Amino acid sequence: MKKLLNYIGIGLFVGWSIAILVNFSIYQHTTTQATLLHPIFDAILFMGIMVGIYFLSMRMYQKKEAAVSILLTVLGAASLVFALILYV
């Protein structure tokens, strides 16, 4: 089961990266305002962070289930605050 979950996480990252590369012209046109370095680099960096959170939460779940709920709650709240700061 652990191998399957690893393959799912890696597959999501690779699939997202391929989708960004294939649809790059559309993606670049719609995201030119809020990029740090370059739209494609930012998209792959963002997905890399999401895959990292996926693997971190999977490992934490194996050790202590309640810690994952706290982690995801904190990350969700931080994401909402960050989005509001960027929007304003």
Side-chain angles (χ1 to χ4, degrees):
M1 188 63 166
K2 187 176 179 181
K3 270 188 168 181
L4 177 63
L5 292 174
N6 285 337
Y7 288 137
I8 289 171
I10 292 168
L12 288 172
F13 177 73
V14 170
W16 176 269
S17 299
I18 291 171
I20 289 296
L21 291 173
V22 169
N23 298 311
F24 177 67
S25 61
I26 297 168
Y27 185 77
Q28 184 179 17
H29 178 69
T30 59
T31 59
T32 55
Q33 296 171 344
T35 58
L36 296 175
L37 300 173
H38 192 271
I40 195 159
F41 178 76
D42 286 354
I44 293 173
L45 179 66
F46 173 74
M47 192 58 195
I49 291 169
M50 293 298 109
V51 167
I53 291 170
Y54 173 79
F55 286 125
L56 175 68
S57 62
M58 190 173 63
R59 287 187 187 183
M60 286 180 71
Y61 179 78
Q62 293 170 351
K63 293 180 181 179
K64 190 172 182 182
E65 295 177 19
V68 177
S69 295
I70 295 169
L71 171 73
L72 294 176
T73 301
V74 169
L75 288 174
S79 297
L80 289 174
V81 169
F82 185 67
L84 288 173
I85 289 171
L86 283 179
Y87 183 72
V88 173

